[in-house]
Amino acid sequence: MKYVAWLAVAVIGAAAVGGIALHRGESINALWFVAAAVCVFALAYRFYAAWIAARVLMVDATRATPAERLDNGRDYVPTNKWVVFGHHFAAIAGPGPLVGPTLAAQFGYLPGTLWILVGAVLGGAVQDMVTLFLSTRRNGRSLGQIAREELGPIGGFAALIGTFTIMIILIAVLGLVVVNAMKHSPWATSTVAATIPIAMIVGLYMRLFRPGRVLEASVLGVALLLLSVFGGGWIDHHPCCAGCLIMKPVSGLVGDCLWFCGGHFASLAVAGTA
């Protein structure tokens, strides 16, 4: 029955991708994309990710993680597996998966869909998983620290500067794409802005009010997010609020620096709370 169930998942996923490929027209039901993504990711998790974990990385569940061995309440803190999963799941949402499908969508629905599904399964998710595993085996060290140990002070410093420079460029490009997408939409701007206080509220809920209640915090976060989307429609039609949230694009080095600093401090606030 297990093989029959996974075969059914494969058939449903193939049918969904085929439906996207054969569709002609401007509008398409979003369920095609949901079905294709759920089936492909489920198959990848069950077979490809399991093979990488067992045969390539040789994950050993009996080995204590750095958070358990070096628990100090600050840099090393044992965390609920679903919280770690949420961070790991969100880490793939970088400029490539966001900008790439947007550009590919100009050629139809199928290229963007395949970009996300194939790119996430074979590229982005594998990279994140391997990097996280290597960091775990090296006491939670960053890529720059690992490079310093392997290559020496000069090589490690060069790797650290290269990684930091790449991060600045990626955040600047992502900020430019986001601000151009939201500059004339108070609805989108208010919804995205609301995600920062929502994340802080969820973090305080799990840390102070109901420690360890991840499901409750997740439900609260989803409810607040849906409320922010609903409220964004009201803001979009309110003349005073809409006028305050119509963003003007800022170009050049100053704009990139503002976006980098704003995104950096916002991420620190969210991470420090959650």
Side-chain angles (χ1 to χ4, degrees):
M1 293 301 298
K2 290 192 304 181
Y3 298 109
V4 172
W6 284 112
L7 181 61
V9 172
V11 171
I12 295 173
V17 174
I20 297 172
L22 299 176
H23 179 79
R24 295 294 180 268
E26 291 295 329
S27 60
I28 183 175
N29 197 314
L31 288 178
W32 290 106
F33 301 98
V34 174
V38 170
C39 294
V40 170
F41 291 151
L43 290 168
Y45 175 79
R46 171 59 183 83
F47 296 101
Y48 188 48
W51 178 79
I52 292 177
R55 299 298 180 89
V56 179
L57 302 180
M58 296 184 180
V59 177
D60 185 2
T62 62
R63 295 185 59 165
T65 64
E68 295 173 324
R69 292 187 288 102
L70 307 174
D71 183 12
N72 58 8
R74 185 180 66 256
D75 297 322
Y76 299 92
V77 180
T79 307
N80 185 283
K81 63 179 180 181
W82 294 113
V83 176
V84 177
F85 172 78
H87 283 285
H88 183 60
F89 187 83
I92 188 61
L98 292 178
V99 181
T102 304
L103 300 177
Q106 302 176 62
F107 303 96
Y109 291 108
L110 184 63
T113 304
L114 293 179
W115 181 297
I116 296 175
L117 298 182
V118 178
V121 171
L122 299 181
V126 177
Q127 172 185 291
D128 288 356
M129 181 179 180
V130 172
T131 304
L132 179 64
F133 179 81
L134 294 177
S135 177
T136 303
R137 284 289 174 91
R138 294 298 189 91
N139 289 330
R141 291 184 174 87
S142 65
L143 289 177
Q145 293 171 322
I146 296 175
R148 182 183 180 87
E149 293 180 354
E150 298 291 338
L151 303 177
I154 298 178
F157 180 77
L160 190 62
I161 293 298
T163 304
F164 185 67
T165 304
I166 292 173
M167 289 177 60
I168 293 177
I169 296 174
L170 291 178
I171 294 175
V173 172
L174 183 59
L176 183 62
V177 172
V178 172
V179 74
N180 284 329
M182 299 191 305
K183 61 183 178 182
H184 297 307
S185 177
W187 192 334
T189 303
S190 62
T191 303
V192 172
T195 58
I196 296 177
I198 289 174
M200 299 177 69
I201 291 172
V202 172
L204 290 173
Y205 185 89
M206 287 192 298
R207 188 176 182 87
L208 300 179
F209 303 116
R210 299 279 286 176
R213 305 288 183 174
V214 179
L215 181 60
E216 294 179 9
S218 301
V219 173
L220 175 63
V222 172
L224 292 175
L225 183 60
L226 293 176
L227 182 62
S228 68
V229 174
F230 178 78
W234 178 84
I235 293 175
D236 188 63
H237 292 87
H238 193 281
C240 180
C241 296
C244 297
L245 292 176
I246 294 180
M247 302 177 62
K248 297 181 179 180
V250 182
S251 60
L253 180 60
V254 176
D256 292 342
C257 290
L258 289 175
W259 270 105
F260 171 74
C261 294
H264 178 68
F265 287 118
S267 63
L268 285 180
V270 175
T273 305

